[in-house]
mmCIF file of all heavy atoms in Angstrom:
data_model
loop_
_atom_site.group_PDB
_atom_site.id
_atom_site.type_symbol
_atom_site.label_atom_id
_atom_site.label_comp_id
_atom_site.label_asym_id
_atom_site.label_seq_id
_atom_site.Cartn_x
_atom_site.Cartn_y
_atom_site.Cartn_z
ATOM 1 N N LEU A 1330 -139.279 -3.398 -85.447
ATOM 2 C CA LEU A 1330 -140.229 -2.279 -85.438
ATOM 3 C C LEU A 1330 -141.633 -2.861 -85.737
ATOM 4 O O LEU A 1330 -142.631 -2.630 -85.021
ATOM 5 C CB LEU A 1330 -139.910 -1.201 -86.423
ATOM 6 C CG LEU A 1330 -138.960 -0.199 -86.024
ATOM 7 C CD1 LEU A 1330 -138.556 0.711 -87.165
ATOM 8 C CD2 LEU A 1330 -139.454 0.729 -84.875
ATOM 9 N N LEU A 1331 -141.706 -3.792 -86.782
ATOM 10 C CA LEU A 1331 -143.055 -4.381 -87.015
ATOM 11 C C LEU A 1331 -143.495 -5.209 -85.831
ATOM 12 O O LEU A 1331 -144.783 -5.224 -85.540
ATOM 13 C CB LEU A 1331 -142.919 -5.314 -88.245
ATOM 14 C CG LEU A 1331 -142.691 -4.585 -89.657
ATOM 15 C CD1 LEU A 1331 -142.375 -5.488 -90.775
ATOM 16 C CD2 LEU A 1331 -143.969 -3.716 -90.009
ATOM 17 N N GLU A 1332 -142.651 -5.935 -85.234
ATOM 18 C CA GLU A 1332 -143.083 -6.771 -84.092
ATOM 19 C C GLU A 1332 -143.544 -5.833 -82.930
ATOM 20 O O GLU A 1332 -144.501 -6.092 -82.262
ATOM 21 C CB GLU A 1332 -141.967 -7.721 -83.657
ATOM 22 C CG GLU A 1332 -141.615 -8.812 -84.676
ATOM 23 C CD GLU A 1332 -140.397 -9.610 -84.409
ATOM 24 O OE1 GLU A 1332 -139.534 -9.124 -83.576
ATOM 25 O OE2 GLU A 1332 -140.311 -10.641 -84.977
ATOM 26 N N GLU A 1333 -142.766 -4.692 -82.679
ATOM 27 C CA GLU A 1333 -143.072 -3.927 -81.501
ATOM 28 C C GLU A 1333 -144.420 -3.128 -81.774
ATOM 29 O O GLU A 1333 -145.176 -2.998 -80.837
ATOM 30 C CB GLU A 1333 -141.881 -2.874 -81.368
ATOM 31 C CG GLU A 1333 -140.637 -3.403 -80.785
ATOM 32 C CD GLU A 1333 -139.560 -2.376 -80.751
ATOM 33 O OE1 GLU A 1333 -139.813 -1.263 -81.256
ATOM 34 O OE2 GLU A 1333 -138.462 -2.759 -80.193
ATOM 35 N N LYS A 1334 -144.669 -2.708 -82.932
ATOM 36 C CA LYS A 1334 -145.878 -1.951 -83.271
ATOM 37 C C LYS A 1334 -147.129 -2.900 -83.304
ATOM 38 O O LYS A 1334 -148.259 -2.330 -83.193
ATOM 39 C CB LYS A 1334 -145.763 -1.239 -84.645
ATOM 40 C CG LYS A 1334 -144.620 -0.301 -84.663
ATOM 41 C CD LYS A 1334 -144.979 0.985 -83.945
ATOM 42 C CE LYS A 1334 -143.929 1.987 -84.131
ATOM 43 N NZ LYS A 1334 -144.061 3.226 -83.305
ATOM 44 N N GLY A 1335 -146.870 -4.172 -83.569
ATOM 45 C CA GLY A 1335 -148.038 -5.128 -83.600
ATOM 46 C C GLY A 1335 -148.823 -4.957 -84.811
ATOM 47 O O GLY A 1335 -150.055 -5.445 -84.672
ATOM 48 N N VAL A 1336 -148.370 -4.396 -85.821
ATOM 49 C CA VAL A 1336 -149.216 -4.206 -87.109
ATOM 50 C C VAL A 1336 -148.984 -5.248 -88.137
ATOM 51 O O VAL A 1336 -149.917 -5.300 -89.046
ATOM 52 C CB VAL A 1336 -148.896 -2.823 -87.832
ATOM 53 C CG1 VAL A 1336 -149.192 -1.643 -86.957
ATOM 54 C CG2 VAL A 1336 -147.418 -2.833 -88.188
ATOM 55 N N ALA A 1337 -148.073 -6.250 -87.892
ATOM 56 C CA ALA A 1337 -147.859 -7.226 -88.846
ATOM 57 C C ALA A 1337 -147.772 -8.597 -88.183
ATOM 58 O O ALA A 1337 -147.517 -8.733 -86.963
ATOM 59 C CB ALA A 1337 -146.479 -6.946 -89.589
ATOM 60 N N LYS A 1338 -148.185 -9.557 -89.015
ATOM 61 C CA LYS A 1338 -148.044 -11.058 -88.511
ATOM 62 C C LYS A 1338 -147.411 -11.806 -89.581
ATOM 63 O O LYS A 1338 -147.327 -11.427 -90.728
ATOM 64 C CB LYS A 1338 -149.461 -11.573 -88.212
ATOM 65 C CG LYS A 1338 -150.375 -11.683 -89.386
ATOM 66 C CD LYS A 1338 -151.684 -12.246 -89.004
ATOM 67 C CE LYS A 1338 -152.627 -12.390 -90.226
ATOM 68 N NZ LYS A 1338 -153.836 -12.952 -90.016
ATOM 69 N N GLU A 1339 -146.955 -13.048 -89.270
ATOM 70 C CA GLU A 1339 -146.234 -13.890 -90.233
ATOM 71 C C GLU A 1339 -145.097 -13.147 -90.950
ATOM 72 O O GLU A 1339 -145.018 -13.197 -92.174
ATOM 73 C CB GLU A 1339 -147.275 -14.470 -91.206
ATOM 74 C CG GLU A 1339 -148.359 -15.264 -90.520
ATOM 75 C CD GLU A 1339 -149.669 -15.389 -91.374
ATOM 76 O OE1 GLU A 1339 -149.767 -14.795 -92.373
ATOM 77 O OE2 GLU A 1339 -150.507 -16.222 -90.963
ATOM 78 N N ILE A 1340 -144.284 -12.592 -90.215
ATOM 79 C CA ILE A 1340 -143.150 -11.831 -90.768
ATOM 80 C C ILE A 1340 -142.037 -12.687 -91.259
ATOM 81 O O ILE A 1340 -141.731 -13.560 -90.422
ATOM 82 C CB ILE A 1340 -142.603 -10.756 -89.766
ATOM 83 C CG1 ILE A 1340 -143.747 -9.788 -89.209
ATOM 84 C CG2 ILE A 1340 -141.392 -9.978 -90.296
ATOM 85 C CD1 ILE A 1340 -143.403 -8.998 -88.052
ATOM 86 N N ASP A 1341 -141.557 -12.533 -92.381
ATOM 87 C CA ASP A 1341 -140.403 -13.358 -92.832
ATOM 88 C C ASP A 1341 -139.532 -12.479 -93.620
ATOM 89 O O ASP A 1341 -139.870 -11.443 -94.184
ATOM 90 C CB ASP A 1341 -140.933 -14.506 -93.688
ATOM 91 C CG ASP A 1341 -139.826 -15.618 -93.941
ATOM 92 O OD1 ASP A 1341 -138.785 -15.596 -93.221
ATOM 93 O OD2 ASP A 1341 -140.064 -16.374 -94.884
ATOM 94 N N THR A 1342 -138.224 -12.892 -93.752
ATOM 95 C CA THR A 1342 -137.279 -12.199 -94.658
ATOM 96 C C THR A 1342 -136.485 -13.262 -95.451
ATOM 97 O O THR A 1342 -136.702 -14.406 -95.260
ATOM 98 C CB THR A 1342 -136.220 -11.461 -93.697
ATOM 99 O OG1 THR A 1342 -135.404 -12.401 -93.066
ATOM 100 C CG2 THR A 1342 -136.903 -10.555 -92.644
ATOM 101 N N THR A 1343 -135.721 -12.763 -96.408
ATOM 102 C CA THR A 1343 -134.928 -13.602 -97.151
ATOM 103 C C THR A 1343 -133.510 -13.946 -96.478
ATOM 104 O O THR A 1343 -132.704 -14.531 -97.071
ATOM 105 C CB THR A 1343 -134.621 -13.017 -98.615
ATOM 106 O OG1 THR A 1343 -134.189 -11.698 -98.449
ATOM 107 C CG2 THR A 1343 -135.880 -13.021 -99.422
ATOM 108 N N ILE A 1344 -133.283 -13.254 -95.312
ATOM 109 C CA ILE A 1344 -132.081 -13.536 -94.595
ATOM 110 C C ILE A 1344 -132.087 -14.911 -93.994
ATOM 111 O O ILE A 1344 -133.029 -15.435 -93.439
ATOM 112 C CB ILE A 1344 -131.883 -12.541 -93.434
ATOM 113 C CG1 ILE A 1344 -131.789 -11.082 -93.903
ATOM 114 C CG2 ILE A 1344 -130.638 -12.881 -92.605
ATOM 115 C CD1 ILE A 1344 -131.731 -10.022 -92.830
ATOM 116 N N ARG A 1345 -131.062 -15.699 -94.398
ATOM 117 C CA ARG A 1345 -130.860 -17.132 -93.931
ATOM 118 C C ARG A 1345 -129.503 -17.225 -93.204
ATOM 119 O O ARG A 1345 -128.604 -16.475 -93.694
ATOM 120 C CB ARG A 1345 -131.017 -18.085 -95.153
ATOM 121 C CG ARG A 1345 -132.443 -18.062 -95.765
ATOM 122 C CD ARG A 1345 -133.514 -18.514 -94.804
ATOM 123 N NE ARG A 1345 -134.801 -18.448 -95.487
ATOM 124 C CZ ARG A 1345 -135.779 -17.504 -95.286
ATOM 125 N NH1 ARG A 1345 -135.510 -16.524 -94.484
ATOM 126 N NH2 ARG A 1345 -136.963 -17.540 -95.839
ATOM 127 N N ASN A 1346 -129.397 -18.206 -92.367
ATOM 128 C CA ASN A 1346 -128.158 -18.455 -91.805
ATOM 129 C C ASN A 1346 -127.052 -18.898 -92.811
ATOM 130 O O ASN A 1346 -127.481 -19.783 -93.687
ATOM 131 C CB ASN A 1346 -128.228 -19.428 -90.705
ATOM 132 C CG ASN A 1346 -129.051 -18.962 -89.423
ATOM 133 O OD1 ASN A 1346 -128.967 -17.812 -89.151
ATOM 134 N ND2 ASN A 1346 -129.649 -19.806 -88.791
ATOM 135 N N PRO A 1347 -125.976 -18.444 -92.708
ATOM 136 C CA PRO A 1347 -124.923 -18.964 -93.700
ATOM 137 C C PRO A 1347 -124.493 -20.427 -93.478
ATOM 138 O O PRO A 1347 -124.699 -20.824 -92.339
ATOM 139 C CB PRO A 1347 -123.758 -17.966 -93.511
ATOM 140 C CG PRO A 1347 -123.890 -17.451 -92.168
ATOM 141 C CD PRO A 1347 -125.300 -17.466 -91.874
ATOM 142 N N LYS A 1348 -124.074 -21.051 -94.516
ATOM 143 C CA LYS A 1348 -123.616 -22.401 -94.424
ATOM 144 C C LYS A 1348 -122.081 -22.415 -94.380
ATOM 145 O O LYS A 1348 -121.455 -21.571 -94.902
ATOM 146 C CB LYS A 1348 -124.174 -23.256 -95.650
ATOM 147 C CG LYS A 1348 -125.594 -23.167 -95.765
ATOM 148 C CD LYS A 1348 -126.196 -24.182 -94.748
ATOM 149 C CE LYS A 1348 -127.683 -24.188 -95.082
ATOM 150 N NZ LYS A 1348 -128.453 -24.995 -94.066
ATOM 151 N N PRO A 1349 -121.471 -23.450 -93.780
ATOM 152 C CA PRO A 1349 -119.962 -23.468 -93.712
ATOM 153 C C PRO A 1349 -119.419 -23.879 -95.036
ATOM 154 O O PRO A 1349 -120.065 -24.737 -95.747
ATOM 155 C CB PRO A 1349 -119.727 -24.444 -92.577
ATOM 156 C CG PRO A 1349 -120.922 -25.305 -92.605
ATOM 157 C CD PRO A 1349 -122.131 -24.421 -92.894
ATOM 158 N N ARG A 1350 -118.301 -23.335 -95.481
ATOM 159 C CA ARG A 1350 -117.634 -23.632 -96.722
ATOM 160 C C ARG A 1350 -116.154 -23.808 -96.323
ATOM 161 O O ARG A 1350 -115.686 -22.920 -95.610
ATOM 162 C CB ARG A 1350 -117.805 -22.684 -97.765
ATOM 163 C CG ARG A 1350 -117.036 -22.990 -99.044
ATOM 164 C CD ARG A 1350 -117.072 -21.955 -100.088
ATOM 165 N NE ARG A 1350 -116.065 -20.834 -99.637
ATOM 166 C CZ ARG A 1350 -115.826 -19.808 -100.390
ATOM 167 N NH1 ARG A 1350 -116.510 -19.641 -101.512
ATOM 168 N NH2 ARG A 1350 -115.051 -18.869 -99.992
ATOM 169 N N THR A 1351 -115.577 -24.851 -96.742
ATOM 170 C CA THR A 1351 -114.153 -25.000 -96.597
ATOM 171 C C THR A 1351 -113.414 -24.993 -97.881
ATOM 172 O O THR A 1351 -113.698 -25.765 -98.832
ATOM 173 C CB THR A 1351 -113.885 -26.348 -95.866
ATOM 174 O OG1 THR A 1351 -114.583 -26.393 -94.603
ATOM 175 C CG2 THR A 1351 -112.459 -26.553 -95.641
ATOM 176 N N ALA A 1352 -112.382 -24.170 -97.907
ATOM 177 C CA ALA A 1352 -111.532 -23.984 -99.111
ATOM 178 C C ALA A 1352 -110.278 -24.728 -98.793
ATOM 179 O O ALA A 1352 -109.707 -24.549 -97.711
ATOM 180 C CB ALA A 1352 -111.343 -22.614 -99.568
ATOM 181 N N LEU A 1353 -109.791 -25.559 -99.728
ATOM 182 C CA LEU A 1353 -108.495 -26.244 -99.602
ATOM 183 C C LEU A 1353 -107.493 -25.530 -100.443
ATOM 184 O O LEU A 1353 -107.523 -25.481 -101.615
ATOM 185 C CB LEU A 1353 -108.558 -27.687 -100.057
ATOM 186 C CG LEU A 1353 -109.635 -28.566 -99.287
ATOM 187 C CD1 LEU A 1353 -109.630 -29.847 -99.921
ATOM 188 C CD2 LEU A 1353 -109.260 -28.628 -97.795
ATOM 189 N N ILE A 1354 -106.489 -24.817 -99.731
ATOM 190 C CA ILE A 1354 -105.601 -23.935 -100.456
ATOM 191 C C ILE A 1354 -104.273 -24.827 -100.468
ATOM 192 O O ILE A 1354 -103.676 -25.201 -99.479
ATOM 193 C CB ILE A 1354 -105.232 -22.694 -99.583
ATOM 194 C CG1 ILE A 1354 -106.548 -21.919 -99.151
ATOM 195 C CG2 ILE A 1354 -104.267 -21.776 -100.310
ATOM 196 C CD1 ILE A 1354 -107.379 -21.575 -100.305
ATOM 197 N N PRO A 1355 -103.804 -25.059 -101.807
ATOM 198 C CA PRO A 1355 -102.608 -25.881 -101.943
ATOM 199 C C PRO A 1355 -101.386 -25.088 -101.575
ATOM 200 O O PRO A 1355 -101.305 -23.939 -101.753
ATOM 201 C CB PRO A 1355 -102.628 -26.274 -103.419
ATOM 202 C CG PRO A 1355 -103.410 -25.316 -104.057
ATOM 203 C CD PRO A 1355 -104.396 -24.789 -103.008
ATOM 204 N N ASP A 1356 -100.339 -25.768 -100.936
ATOM 205 C CA ASP A 1356 -99.111 -25.235 -100.664
ATOM 206 C C ASP A 1356 -98.159 -25.569 -101.829
ATOM 207 O O ASP A 1356 -97.618 -26.628 -102.015
ATOM 208 C CB ASP A 1356 -98.514 -25.722 -99.391
ATOM 209 C CG ASP A 1356 -97.208 -25.012 -98.907
ATOM 210 O OD1 ASP A 1356 -96.474 -24.603 -99.782
ATOM 211 O OD2 ASP A 1356 -97.004 -24.913 -97.640
ATOM 212 N N ARG A 1357 -98.095 -24.632 -102.733
ATOM 213 C CA ARG A 1357 -97.503 -24.792 -103.986
ATOM 214 C C ARG A 1357 -96.005 -25.179 -103.855
ATOM 215 O O ARG A 1357 -95.351 -25.902 -104.704
ATOM 216 C CB ARG A 1357 -97.582 -23.698 -104.927
ATOM 217 C CG ARG A 1357 -99.093 -23.554 -105.297
ATOM 218 C CD ARG A 1357 -99.419 -22.339 -106.292
ATOM 219 N NE ARG A 1357 -100.737 -21.927 -106.396
ATOM 220 C CZ ARG A 1357 -101.819 -22.663 -106.942
ATOM 221 N NH1 ARG A 1357 -101.421 -23.873 -107.346
ATOM 222 N NH2 ARG A 1357 -102.935 -22.184 -106.992
ATOM 223 N N ALA A 1358 -95.356 -24.506 -102.895
ATOM 224 C CA ALA A 1358 -93.848 -24.867 -102.653
ATOM 225 C C ALA A 1358 -93.687 -26.296 -102.299
ATOM 226 O O ALA A 1358 -92.739 -26.946 -102.894
ATOM 227 C CB ALA A 1358 -93.353 -23.886 -101.595
ATOM 228 N N ILE A 1359 -94.529 -26.774 -101.406
ATOM 229 C CA ILE A 1359 -94.386 -28.268 -101.085
ATOM 230 C C ILE A 1359 -94.686 -29.092 -102.147
ATOM 231 O O ILE A 1359 -93.985 -30.104 -102.408
ATOM 232 C CB ILE A 1359 -95.282 -28.505 -99.852
ATOM 233 C CG1 ILE A 1359 -94.702 -27.787 -98.508
ATOM 234 C CG2 ILE A 1359 -95.293 -29.893 -99.516
ATOM 235 C CD1 ILE A 1359 -95.633 -27.925 -97.302
ATOM 236 N N LEU A 1360 -95.652 -28.763 -102.948
ATOM 237 C CA LEU A 1360 -96.083 -29.625 -104.011
ATOM 238 C C LEU A 1360 -94.964 -29.663 -105.090
ATOM 239 O O LEU A 1360 -94.630 -30.769 -105.590
ATOM 240 C CB LEU A 1360 -97.394 -29.075 -104.704
ATOM 241 C CG LEU A 1360 -98.734 -29.300 -103.897
ATOM 242 C CD1 LEU A 1360 -99.772 -28.536 -104.698
ATOM 243 C CD2 LEU A 1360 -98.969 -30.681 -103.844
ATOM 244 N N LYS A 1361 -94.337 -28.480 -105.381
ATOM 245 C CA LYS A 1361 -93.190 -28.435 -106.321
ATOM 246 C C LYS A 1361 -92.084 -29.286 -105.786
ATOM 247 O O LYS A 1361 -91.456 -30.066 -106.616
ATOM 248 C CB LYS A 1361 -92.774 -26.986 -106.538
ATOM 249 C CG LYS A 1361 -91.759 -26.892 -107.636
ATOM 250 C CD LYS A 1361 -91.548 -25.368 -107.911
ATOM 251 C CE LYS A 1361 -90.476 -25.321 -109.013
ATOM 252 N NZ LYS A 1361 -90.218 -23.872 -109.348
ATOM 253 N N ASN A 1362 -91.699 -29.128 -104.524
ATOM 254 C CA ASN A 1362 -90.561 -29.997 -103.979
ATOM 255 C C ASN A 1362 -90.822 -31.420 -104.074
ATOM 256 O O ASN A 1362 -89.865 -32.192 -104.218
ATOM 257 C CB ASN A 1362 -90.347 -29.502 -102.541
ATOM 258 C CG ASN A 1362 -89.638 -28.147 -102.432
ATOM 259 O OD1 ASN A 1362 -89.134 -27.695 -103.458
ATOM 260 N ND2 ASN A 1362 -89.771 -27.564 -101.314
ATOM 261 N N MET A 1363 -92.101 -31.845 -103.922
ATOM 262 C CA MET A 1363 -92.397 -33.279 -103.987
ATOM 263 C C MET A 1363 -92.648 -33.786 -105.442
ATOM 264 O O MET A 1363 -92.907 -34.929 -105.720
ATOM 265 C CB MET A 1363 -93.637 -33.536 -103.206
ATOM 266 C CG MET A 1363 -93.529 -33.293 -101.679
ATOM 267 S SD MET A 1363 -95.012 -33.567 -100.898
ATOM 268 C CE MET A 1363 -94.561 -34.445 -99.402
ATOM 269 N N GLY A 1364 -92.739 -32.841 -106.386
ATOM 270 C CA GLY A 1364 -92.972 -33.188 -107.736
ATOM 271 C C GLY A 1364 -94.384 -33.594 -108.011
ATOM 272 O O GLY A 1364 -94.750 -34.401 -108.834
ATOM 273 N N PHE A 1365 -95.210 -32.973 -107.289
ATOM 274 C CA PHE A 1365 -96.719 -33.278 -107.253
ATOM 275 C C PHE A 1365 -97.395 -32.094 -107.752
ATOM 276 O O PHE A 1365 -97.304 -31.037 -107.183
ATOM 277 C CB PHE A 1365 -97.162 -33.627 -105.835
ATOM 278 C CG PHE A 1365 -98.311 -34.484 -105.658
ATOM 279 C CD1 PHE A 1365 -98.332 -35.790 -105.968
ATOM 280 C CD2 PHE A 1365 -99.542 -33.926 -105.282
ATOM 281 C CE1 PHE A 1365 -99.485 -36.630 -105.775
ATOM 282 C CE2 PHE A 1365 -100.665 -34.709 -105.135
ATOM 283 C CZ PHE A 1365 -100.650 -36.034 -105.402
ATOM 284 N N ASN A 1366 -98.195 -32.191 -108.885
ATOM 285 C CA ASN A 1366 -98.666 -31.023 -109.489
ATOM 286 C C ASN A 1366 -100.174 -30.749 -108.994
ATOM 287 O O ASN A 1366 -100.769 -31.666 -108.424
ATOM 288 C CB ASN A 1366 -98.631 -31.007 -111.057
ATOM 289 C CG ASN A 1366 -99.461 -32.111 -111.664
ATOM 290 O OD1 ASN A 1366 -100.598 -32.386 -111.172
ATOM 291 N ND2 ASN A 1366 -99.021 -32.611 -112.725
#
């Protein structure tokens, strides 16, 4: 709306692109069978 109306310049927001995150989920059954804690 601000851009369409032309009333504002140098418009910025706090919205930023998310960053990738990788979680490593242990397979507890396999760990237990292997004796690996």
Side-chain angles (χ1 to χ4, degrees):
L1330 278 171
L1331 289 170
E1332 291 171 344
E1333 287 174 357
K1334 300 284 184 191
V1336 295
K1338 64 180 183 178
E1339 300 160 350
I1340 304 168
D1341 193 13
T1342 69
T1343 54
I1344 297 174
R1345 299 293 181 257
N1346 290 331
K1348 301 284 183 186
R1350 178 186 74 176
T1351 302
L1353 300 176
I1354 312 299
D1356 188 326
R1357 295 185 194 289
I1359 291 175
L1360 288 173
K1361 186 175 181 180
N1362 287 339
M1363 295 176 138
F1365 204 73
N1366 67 36

